[in-house]
Amino acid sequence: MSQAQIDTLTALFDQAVQTLQAQDILPADWKNNSQITRTKDLSHGDFASNIALTAAKAAKSNPRMLAEKIVAALPDNQDIRQVEIAGPGFINVFLNSDAKFAVLADIFELQDRFGLSEQFAGQKIQVEFVSANPTSSLHVGHGRGAAFGMSVANLLEAVGYDVTREYYVNDAGRQMDILATSTYLRYLQINGEQVTFPVNGYQGEYVRDIAQTLKVQHGDSYVHPFADVAKDVPADAIFDTNADGEKILVSGDKEAHIDGLIANSKSLLGEGYELFLDAALSSILADIKDDLNDFGVRYECWFSERSIDSEIEPVLQILDDKGYLYEKDGNIWFKSTDFGDEKDRVVRRANGQTTYFASDIAYHKNKFDRGFDKVINVWGADHHGYVPRVKAALTALGIDEARLDVVLVQFVALWRGSEKVQMSSRSGQFVTLRDLRAEVGNDAARFYYVARKPEVHIDFDLELAKSQSKDNQVYYIQYAHARVCRVLEKLENSGFVVDDAIGQAQQTRLSAPNEDELIKLLAGYPATLARAATGYEPHVLTNYLKELAALFHGWYDSNRILPVSLTSGETPSTDEMALMQARLRLSKAVRQVLFNGLNLLGLSAPSSM
């Protein structure tokens, strides 16, 4: 059933409700919030309504008796062949054949726009996702957030939202200082200094590469003795020698150690410190952008954390003026417990520096100041504790917290056979998203990242993702699309063409149960798409595509589309040609819907496999 027909059925039931209200069977103020759903069993009709069950309490009536009155009040409609009452009071609707096949006409008319709607046209929504610190390349865990966020954004556009995809670049704060100092220490090593590298510095080879570039560009212009860099750094640290012969800190106050190195590097370099910071940031951010672009992930906005520095103090002043800030132990605290958080949060430390949370408050205020009706944050599961405090801050600022939705994406475990791969961005021992894509391809990576609910942990099976079998779900879906393309190619090579007019005229020949199921499933695509979009659930769409592909493969394997005589060089009979055109029409409709769904998930729809 097309969306237009769903709307028609809804209107018919609304009219029946109005009739019963006029007869005082239903209260005048009762609102119809029932659902019309596609039935799974063909014996139960094409669609079912639960209106009698939802209205029974208001009508003070047995649901089945009320269903009889609703059916009697339904206006006549040419698309409805029969209406039955089933079970405790469900109303089953059977369509006539013309109405049943209307979805095929919709698919051929709308093509790649089939399923799309303007339901939320005029509403602005922002989806912020990935937003990984620009301190290293993206790893396989970031890939899940990238695939999920992009798919959600695509789905929201499909139902009419004006979507802005945003990456929040964390280019300020302590982690950037650690990165800049790590780069500077590698620069000193390349210039011959004996450096004791901090265990909590960024140790990946990419840091050395950035330092080498700076060496080529600037020679030894920024070299200072490491003894000066390490001056007055806490001496209670214990060091060891790693496999490369470097001394590394293995115990002691590692945070005080790195903080001392940062402070001394800033003092010694002066304005030159920004050179190392900007070089590292620019290199890594460019790598992240290239990686995401190659993964089919794009953004309308790359938002710099540095750009909101000037907005932090004003937003803290607003909270202070409202009485939501207080001083304790030299720190300035936000009364987040007033809004349901488990404890109050520091927004300014005793040393005068504002916290990451203060930046988050300013950033989220900035989002809503830009006019978004709704904001979605896609965060890693380890950020679950941030949700109450951010929502508390919004409420304190007078912004409805319901306008912010946070989706927490669980972690990804990567397996090579029976071996689980460990990941750590500091040590540099991690599998990058780029590595994963090179091994299994973009399509497999994106599909398996979104094929489960975001709150469910993923064990990513590399061997399965690369297999060409029914067990590889994305391969199975894409193969269904390719199969239709192959049939059309064979037809063309035989000197025949697809005649959609004949196919439409002969579509009543599509009367087998599995053909009815295929048509009904195609008709359910718009509703599936709407559910996936509004629930931020791409897995609803992947499940639909798996079901459609499986149903098509089963039908294809048990029904010849091209007559035997056609492939043997004989001339098919008129009856064979009529059935062929009807089945070709159905096959092309399946291909179109598979293409539409794959495209929204950022996957290719190959014509051959």
Side-chain angles (χ1 to χ4, degrees):
M1 176 176 283
S2 68
Q3 184 59 49
Q5 289 172 320
I6 290 176
D7 293 342
T8 298
L9 263 187
T10 301
L12 292 175
F13 278 104
D14 283 342
Q15 291 179 52
V17 167
Q18 293 171 14
T19 298
L20 297 186
Q21 288 173 327
Q23 298 171 355
D24 291 329
I25 295 173
L26 278 172
D29 60 352
W30 186 80
K31 301 295 183 182
N32 182 8
N33 59 354
S34 62
Q35 294 180 328
I36 296 174
T37 57
R38 182 168 53 91
T39 61
K40 294 182 179 180
D41 188 336
L42 292 175
S43 66
H44 296 163
D46 296 289
F47 288 86
S49 172
N50 65 345
I51 186 172
L53 283 77
T54 62
K57 184 176 180 180
K60 299 178 180 179
S61 169
N62 175 281
R64 192 172 177 91
M65 293 178 61
L66 180 60
E68 293 176 356
K69 296 176 182 179
I70 293 172
V71 170
L74 276 175
D76 292 333
N77 185 273
Q78 61 182 3
D79 290 342
I80 297 177
R81 174 170 58 86
Q82 182 180 345
V83 179
E84 290 183 352
I85 300 170
F90 288 102
I91 300 175
N92 294 336
V93 179
F94 296 75
L95 303 179
N96 63 37
S97 59
D98 288 340
K100 182 180 76 172
F101 292 115
V103 63
L104 300 183
D106 287 348
I107 293 171
F108 281 94
E109 177 185 353
L110 297 173
Q111 297 184 39
D112 59 358
R113 293 197 57 78
F114 176 71
L116 307 187
S117 76
E118 296 297 322
Q119 181 180 356
F120 298 99
Q123 296 191 44
K124 294 179 62 178
I125 194 167
Q126 183 216 55
V127 184
E128 182 221 324
F129 57 107
V130 184
S131 298
N133 288 336
T135 53
S136 65
S137 298
L138 299 177
H139 57 62
V140 296
H142 297 133
R144 186 177 190 186
F148 179 83
M150 189 67 186
S151 296
V152 166
N154 292 348
L155 290 168
L156 290 168
E157 278 187 334
V159 295
Y161 278 107
D162 178 4
V163 178
T164 294
R165 300 161 183 81
E166 184 155 307
Y167 189 114
Y168 183 54
V169 182
N170 297 276
D171 54 4
R174 187 166 182 271
Q175 293 306 314
M176 295 309 301
D177 282 333
I178 294 175
L179 176 64
T181 300
S182 299
T183 305
Y184 181 56
L185 294 176
R186 291 304 188 196
Y187 168 82
L188 291 179
Q189 285 183 321
I190 292 170
N191 278 282
E193 286 291 314
Q194 294 298 311
V195 170
T196 302
F197 200 85
V199 70
N200 52 346
Y202 287 98
Q203 301 178 38
E205 191 62 28
Y206 63 96
V207 178
R208 191 183 297 274
D209 291 340
I210 297 167
Q212 180 61 49
T213 299
L214 289 168
K215 160 70 173 175
V216 171
Q217 293 173 344
H218 302 282
D220 60 1
S221 301
Y222 295 96
V223 172
H224 291 274
F226 179 69
D228 292 342
V229 178
K231 183 179 179 181
D232 297 327
V233 170
D236 63 343
I238 299 174
F239 298 91
D240 200 353
T241 303
N242 67 11
D244 296 325
E246 296 176 326
K247 289 179 68 178
I248 59 172
L249 181 144
V250 294
S251 68
D253 191 346
K254 64 180 182 180
E255 299 303 330
H257 183 253
I258 189 71
D259 287 344
L261 295 174
I262 290 170
N264 289 342
S265 296
K266 287 183 175 181
S267 176
L268 290 167
L269 290 171
E271 293 182 359
Y273 182 81
E274 292 296 318
L275 174 72
F276 288 86
L277 176 59
D278 291 342
L281 173 63
S282 298
S283 176
I284 296 172
L285 192 57
D287 175 77
I288 290 173
K289 288 182 177 181
D290 287 344
D291 201 3
L292 290 171
N293 184 64
D294 291 344
F295 196 33
V297 174
R298 60 182 175 82
Y299 293 89
E300 283 74 32
C301 180
W302 292 78
F303 192 96
S304 166
E305 182 182 354
R306 293 184 187 181
S307 70
I308 58 167
D309 281 351
S310 62
E311 300 178 35
I312 297 175
E313 291 302 331
V315 78
L316 293 182
Q317 188 62 54
I318 294 173
L319 294 175
D320 193 25
D321 291 344
K322 291 188 172 190
Y324 295 129
L325 300 186
Y326 66 93
E327 187 271 337
K328 179 182 176 183
D329 299 329
N331 298 315
I332 303 299
W333 298 73
F334 167 59
K335 297 180 181 179
S336 52
T337 52
D338 285 3
F339 305 95
D341 194 9
E342 62 182 2
K343 62 181 181 179
D344 292 345
R345 308 291 175 174
V346 176
V347 291
R348 184 184 291 111
R349 298 187 182 93
N351 62 9
Q353 293 183 341
T354 54
T355 62
Y356 284 120
F357 179 48
S359 297
D360 283 340
I361 297 173
Y363 175 46
H364 281 82
K365 181 178 184 301
N366 178 284
K367 290 186 180 194
F368 290 104
D369 286 347
R370 281 185 271 161
F372 294 112
D373 299 291
K374 192 86 173 178
V375 167
I376 303 171
N377 291 346
V378 179
W379 287 347
D382 56 336
H383 285 72
H384 64 91
Y386 285 78
V387 179
R389 72 187 72 168
V390 171
K391 291 206 168 192
L394 289 178
T395 303
L397 290 169
I399 300 170
D400 184 0
E401 69 166 51
R403 294 170 63 191
L404 170 66
D405 285 335
V406 180
V407 182
L408 298 176
V409 177
Q410 268 293 350
F411 301 105
V412 177
L414 185 64
W415 293 82
R416 295 187 186 281
S418 59
E419 182 181 353
K420 184 177 179 180
V421 180
Q422 300 298 322
M423 296 179 292
S424 171
S425 58
R426 282 270 180 89
S427 67
Q429 301 303 312
F430 59 91
V431 177
T432 67
L433 174 60
R434 189 175 280 110
D435 291 336
L436 177 69
R437 295 192 293 105
E439 184 163 350
V440 305
N442 276 2
D443 285 348
R446 287 192 64 154
F447 183 88
Y448 284 107
Y449 274 139
V450 302
R452 303 188 72 182
K453 294 181 179 180
E455 64 268 25
V456 175
H457 179 91
I458 290 180
D459 286 326
F460 198 108
D461 187 335
L462 288 167
E463 298 307 315
L464 176 62
K466 292 186 290 184
S467 67
Q468 297 185 359
S469 67
K470 181 179 179 180
D471 293 330
N472 182 349
Q473 297 166 348
V474 65
Y475 177 84
Y476 197 54
I477 294 168
Q478 291 175 321
Y479 183 48
H481 183 275
R483 266 186 141 175
V484 180
C485 295
R486 179 59 179 154
V487 166
L488 297 175
E489 182 183 352
K490 285 183 178 180
L491 185 69
E492 183 179 354
N493 292 339
S494 300
F496 291 85
V497 296
V498 179
D499 192 321
D500 288 330
I502 294 177
Q504 184 172 10
Q506 300 295 326
Q507 62 190 6
T508 54
R509 291 174 177 265
L510 303 174
S511 57
N514 52 8
E515 289 166 338
D516 282 342
E517 290 175 6
L518 262 178
I519 293 168
K520 186 182 290 187
L521 190 55
L522 291 172
Y525 176 71
T528 298
L529 186 55
R531 177 187 161 199
T534 56
Y536 317 144
E537 296 180 317
H539 71 277
V540 169
L541 181 54
T542 65
N543 289 340
Y544 172 89
L545 294 176
K546 286 188 290 184
E547 184 181 359
L548 180 59
L551 193 56
F552 172 78
H553 284 305
W555 172 73
Y556 181 95
D557 291 340
S558 60
N559 294 275
R560 289 197 61 86
I561 297 178
L562 302 183
V564 176
S565 55
L566 187 70
T567 55
S568 64
E570 301 175 16
T571 302
S573 68
T574 302
D575 189 66
E576 286 178 321
M577 290 296 289
L579 181 58
M580 178 190 75
Q581 294 293 353
R583 287 178 172 170
L584 284 171
R585 180 175 170 81
L586 177 57
S587 299
K588 287 177 63 181
V590 170
R591 181 182 67 165
Q592 184 67 63
V593 173
L594 288 172
F595 173 88
N596 292 359
L598 288 167
N599 184 60
L600 284 173
L601 295 173
L603 308 179
S604 65
S607 57
S608 62
M609 295 182 72

